[in-house]
Amino acid sequence: MEEFSILIGGQAGDGIKQAGNAIARVFNRLGYWIFVYEDYPSLIRGGHNFAMVRASSERIASHRDGIDALVALNQEAVDRHSWRLGEDSVVIFDSDTAKAEGLGIPMSGIVKRRGLPAILRNAIALGALAAVLGIGLDVVEDAIRAAVDKRVEENLEAAREGYGIANGSPWAAEGRRVERVPGGPRPLLTGNEALALGLARGGMKIYAAYPMTPTSALLHYIAAHEDELGAIAIHPESEIAVIGIAQGAAYAGIRSAVGTSGGGFSLMVEHISLAGQAEIPTVIVLGQRLDPATGAPTYTKQGNLFFAMFAGHGEFPRAVLAPGDANEAFHLAAEAMNLAWRFQIPVIILSDKHLSESTFSFHFDISRAATEPPKLWDGAGEYRRYAQTEDGISPLAFPGGGAVVKANSYEHDEFGITTEDADLIAKAQDKRLRKAKALEEYVNGKEMVSVEGDPEGKIALLFWGSTKGAAAEVAERIGARAIQPLCLMPLPKRELEERLEGAERVVGIEGNSRGQFCGWLRCHGIQVDGVVLKYDGRPFAADELEERVRRSLR
Amino acid sequence: MRASDLKTYAKNTWCPGCGNFAIELAARQAFVELMEEGKLKIENLVVLSGIGCHAKMSDYLRANSFYSLHGRVVAPATGVKLANPELTVVGFAGDGDAYGEGLEHLVFAAKRNVGISMIIHDNGVYGLTTGQFTPTSPPGFQGKSTPRGSPEDPMNPIALMLSSGATFVARAFSGNLQHLKGMIREAITHRGFSIVDVLQPCVTFRNTWDFFSKRVYDLQERGHDASNWNEAMERAREWDYGGGAGEIPIGIFYRAERPTFEDRVLRGRRPRELPMPELEKVLKGHV
Ligand SMILES: Cc1ncc(C[n+]2csc(CCOP(=O)(O)OP(=O)(O)O)c2C)c(N)n1
Ligand code: SF4
Ligand SMILES: [Mg+2]
């Protein structure tokens, strides 16, 4: 296995994200699988930013603490990350702003001399990195053209200069050579981008959101790609308006979705209950971040599982889906649209900072996802919006089509007229319960548990969501099975138990402090033998998690 | 079609003498007239309501309806209009509903000029929760939550809507059915956001029949120029929703034309007709 981990660090405003993106594109062109983790504080200028790009000849979806190359645009980047360096690692730094052992290039001086904007130090660094790793200048130039849309020529000029200097240095002569590996290049997608594509694939025509990290980029992406996605993005006055508008659109027959984080989701809660009662298909992307309250906005956590499962007063069915990488984000976003419309329920897609904003090599067969038609009224007799049916699902009709369509947040009769009649109330609740049952059966009939590593391994690592990348890799390395339900509510219990059969030790892994998912499993009679938790805002790195899992097994 | 054809089988549970009856009847009559004139298709009508006595409109009207949450009429109405701009979207909301719990949505709907009509059943009280003061109750109003009298001055929704950019602002009175029907008709046929603040007596918790009957006058009869925003604001401030002895104008305060939200957002597109995504093309840009 060929692999490289590169960290580029500097201040906010130094173009770290763009540089990480360009490095990823370079390796992508050489056939590598890519994962990019981005770490930045919640501010616009200053503060320490870094991107970790990992490239591997094998499929990966996580970063490692250890790195092969550190690209430091300031002293802080050197000081903060030198612990990650191994014996053969190389440091490339701006010798005008930092001191370190390695290849120093006077990047600040160069941009000044050439009259380039200071941000183009990142391109000098990229060129130098390529030279040190033995990557051809043509690959770098190609990647810059693909990654940059402004000042392309100046970027190329800076990269060439960095390349030239590094090429003439002893660091380039050490014989490091990143070889082209078979496969690729593959589309590089953040979790947010994959969610956008999946929602569109599932028929979403209107997306409404109020900006909130880590799903703001989902709004930005859809807004920027309305034509290609066949969807319209809107940004109303609050999250309450966001979900209200989405539900109005759904009532009128248009598939809609919303995105937010914990704070905005809190404001939407009453409308989740409305979705349950009025049976309005409602798709919500909940990008978790470190909380409570405003928390640490740009850092990650898997802390909203219970909140997503139980938000909203009343007993009504819902689905909570938890993708772990870009493939699953695409797939489950399309699935969320279809589930919401098939069952006329709220569906919550749980993402988090780590999934939403990390970059993955996307390799999902998109033909596997489509917009599935919902159950529609056949036009016979008088339309009853809440007609009693065996599976609890009433056929849909929309205003403008001739039927009188009455949606109601009060308890109602089949036509949709408010009722307080004891018998009708119980019947209406029974209908929702039948729907819940139908949903549960449906989920159990789909493949809703992902298995990686050794499916027969004696040790089972059990986790959900963005922990996937690191946990699957650890399972592979220690010969364990990696088991990850994609639907957390309803729990695909049958399938999960089958996957766990024969495992002698089950270790739960979660990015929160109380093991919420393990608690949920206990409610279903599934026990874990130990838990590995992390709740410092940082996602598990693969090597870090391996160490922690091994310790927990001792 | 007759107005009575627009009734459902739901049993009416408003208190006898309630001002809501007039609003409901005026609305049905307005719908029927507009249908007969070819200005409205009943299958294209969507009514929405919040929660409160007023909100029973959703149950009583034989039309597409969205019986929403308290304070949440405007946002779903906006969603309906965006989803299908061919629909005629009419929201019925209470004063607690529209001016209290969900005020922000109303201000933004006016700012955006979204093509919905809001009919506010303004009884100056929370009816359904048995009589507390609302944003338009007069100072000193003794409700159940303010037994020593409301410690606040009322807001003036007409002035607020004018300031927010509403392109149709009117006031009506339950005691003047013909005029009320006319205002509802005008609101529905207006292109863009329209609001009618209907002075609606609540016989049980705030009986204002006498008070309003003695004071209201019709702006249009006195030659008010509804195209003049400054004049509209002046007329709006003639009555501050308090108790005083002065006159109270009803009628159209202001009417203007401005591009609608749906025009500006949709740019001729129809959500139903948007093409399927071109994913292959999008993915190519990500390599
Ligand atoms: C979120 C929420 N808070 C409170 C209530 C209780 N509630 C129901 S109706 C109402 C007030 C209704 O007043 P208004 O909107 O003026 O309508 P009216 O009954 O006077 O027609 C309240 C507070 C509710 N249903 N939902
Ligand atoms: S309480 Fe007041 S508003 Fe409600 S129905 Fe009775 S009179 Fe009408
Ligand atoms: Mg009221």
Side-chain angles (χ1 to χ4, degrees), chain A residues 28-83:
Chain A
N28 190 34
R29 278 166 171 62
L30 296 172
Y32 288 80
W33 294 87
I34 305 295
F35 179 80
V36 186
Y37 165 65
E38 274 163 48
D39 189 304
Y40 63 99
S42 180
L43 41 76
I44 308 302
R45 293 242 170 246
H48 182 64
N49 273 29
F50 65 95
M52 298 181 80
V53 182
R54 185 170 171 220
S56 171
S57 58
E58 307 284 318
R59 190 155 70 83
I60 46 137
S62 65
H63 62 295
R64 299 178 70 81
D65 276 342
I67 54 175
D68 303 298
L70 168 61
V71 180
L73 296 182
N74 62 9
Q75 189 63 43
E76 192 175 3
V78 176
D79 297 343
R80 276 188 185 237
H81 300 293
S82 48
W83 65 276

Side-chain angles (χ1 to χ4, degrees), chain A residues 64 109 154 160 175 179 204 250 257 266 270 279 426 440 446 521 525 552:
Chain A
R64 299 178 70 81
E154 289 171 314
R160 284 185 204 119
E179 300 290 349
M204 176 190 71
S266 298
E270 193 182 10
E279 305 197 39
E440 207 175 307
K446 287 216 148 198
L521 290 175
S552 85

Side-chain angles (χ1 to χ4, degrees), chain B residues 13-15 17-20 53-54 56 123 125 127-128 200-205:
Chain B
T13 53
W14 282 324
C15 310
C18 171
N20 278 324
C53 292
H54 67 275
K56 296 175 182 179
N123 53 5
V125 73
L128 194 65
Q200 174 237 318
C202 163
V203 288
T204 306
F205 299 111

Side-chain angles (χ1 to χ4, degrees), chain A residues 25 28-29 146 185-190 193 197-198 200-203 205-206 221 225-238 240-254 270-271 274 278 280 313 330 362 364 366 371 382 398-410 413-419, chain B residues 8-11 42-53 55-84 87 101-109 112 128 261 265-267 269-287:
Chain A
R25 291 199 189 229
N28 190 34
R29 278 166 171 62
R186 304 170 184 89
L188 298 177
L189 291 186
T190 63
E193 291 162 350
L197 301 188
R201 186 64 161 205
K205 299 295 174 207
I206 291 180
Y221 185 81
H225 296 85
E226 282 194 346
D227 292 341
E228 297 94 310
L229 296 180
I232 290 165
I234 51 170
H235 164 181
E237 66 271 22
S238 71
I240 301 179
V242 159
I243 192 165
I245 288 173
Q247 291 183 329
Y251 162 78
I254 295 302
E270 193 182 10
H271 279 271
L274 174 62
I280 299 170
H313 50 300
F330 174 83
F362 182 75
F364 189 78
I366 57 174
T371 306
E382 191 181 31
F398 309 113
V404 176
V405 185
K406 296 189 95 64
N408 197 342
S409 80
Y410 274 104
D413 65 11
E414 289 183 77
F415 192 57
I417 301 273
T418 302
T419 186
Chain B
T8 65
Y9 55 81
K11 183 170 170 252
I42 185 68
E43 66 263 31
N44 282 354
L45 173 67
V46 177
V47 302
L48 298 95
S49 64
I51 298 296
C53 292
K56 296 175 182 179
M57 295 293 280
S58 280
D59 276 343
Y60 299 160
L61 292 172
R62 199 180 159 73
N64 299 304
S65 62
F66 187 116
Y67 207 147
S68 189
L69 300 167
H70 185 48
R72 312 302 167 199
V73 174
V74 172
T78 303
V80 171
K81 192 66 184 178
L82 277 182
N84 184 356
L87 297 175
E101 188 89 345
L103 178 65
E104 81 255 37
H105 309 305
L106 197 66
V107 169
F108 275 85
R112 293 182 185 121
L128 194 65
F261 184 57
V265 169
L266 298 178
R267 290 179 277 114
R269 299 171 294 177
R270 290 291 171 266
R272 203 179 332 113
E273 293 158 11
L274 286 170
M276 284 305 284
E278 303 170 61
L279 294 185
E280 285 79 5
K281 188 173 146 196
V282 177
L283 286 173
K284 269 202 194 103
H286 282 273
V287 172

Side-chain angles (χ1 to χ4, degrees), chain A residues 5 34 55 66 70 83 149 155 222 253 256 317 324 341 359 366 370 373-374 379 418 421 441 508 517 551:
Chain A
S5 285
I34 305 295
L70 168 61
W83 65 276
D149 36 44
N155 266 276
I222 295 170
S256 59
W341 282 80
T359 301
I366 57 174
T418 302
D421 177 89
E441 273 164 29
F517 184 58
R551 236 188 296 152

Side-chain angles (χ1 to χ4, degrees), chain B residues 44-236:
Chain B
N44 282 354
L45 173 67
V46 177
V47 302
L48 298 95
S49 64
I51 298 296
C53 292
H54 67 275
K56 296 175 182 179
M57 295 293 280
S58 280
D59 276 343
Y60 299 160
L61 292 172
R62 199 180 159 73
N64 299 304
S65 62
F66 187 116
Y67 207 147
S68 189
L69 300 167
H70 185 48
R72 312 302 167 199
V73 174
V74 172
T78 303
V80 171
K81 192 66 184 178
L82 277 182
N84 184 356
E86 273 75 49
L87 297 175
T88 301
V89 183
V90 183
F92 294 94
D95 49 333
D97 200 276
Y99 304 149
E101 188 89 345
L103 178 65
E104 81 255 37
H105 309 305
L106 197 66
V107 169
F108 275 85
K111 169 182 184 284
R112 293 182 185 121
N113 197 31
V114 61
I116 63 172
S117 304
M118 290 299 297
I119 313 298
I120 313 299
H121 302 223
D122 188 353
N123 53 5
V125 73
Y126 287 128
L128 194 65
T129 47
T130 70
Q132 300 86 2
F133 83 119
T134 71
T136 52
S137 303
F141 172 72
Q142 288 183 324
K144 286 187 178 156
S145 61
T146 52
R148 284 165 296 280
S150 160
E152 299 177 22
D153 291 330
M155 71 164 62
N156 183 332
I158 302 291
L160 176 66
M161 287 293 96
L162 286 171
S163 314
S164 303
T167 52
F168 181 96
V169 183
R171 185 188 283 143
F173 171 43
S174 286
N176 191 339
L177 184 70
Q178 282 309 311
H179 181 264
L180 170 59
K181 180 187 75 186
M183 289 302 104
I184 295 176
R185 285 182 49 127
E186 296 287 342
I188 291 175
T189 48
H190 175 73
R191 228 183 102 69
F193 178 78
S194 54
I195 181 164
V196 185
D197 184 58
V198 185
L199 305 173
Q200 174 237 318
C202 163
V203 288
T204 306
F205 299 111
R206 190 164 172 261
N207 194 339
T208 48
W209 283 115
D210 260 10
F211 178 82
F212 287 126
S213 299
K214 285 192 192 123
R215 288 171 176 77
V216 296
Y217 76 90
D218 185 343
L219 279 169
Q220 270 64 47
E221 279 176 6
R222 297 212 191 150
H224 167 64
D225 176 9
S227 67
N228 186 324
W229 190 89
N230 286 324
E231 252 181 58
M233 199 50 135
E234 223 164 276
R235 294 278 80 76

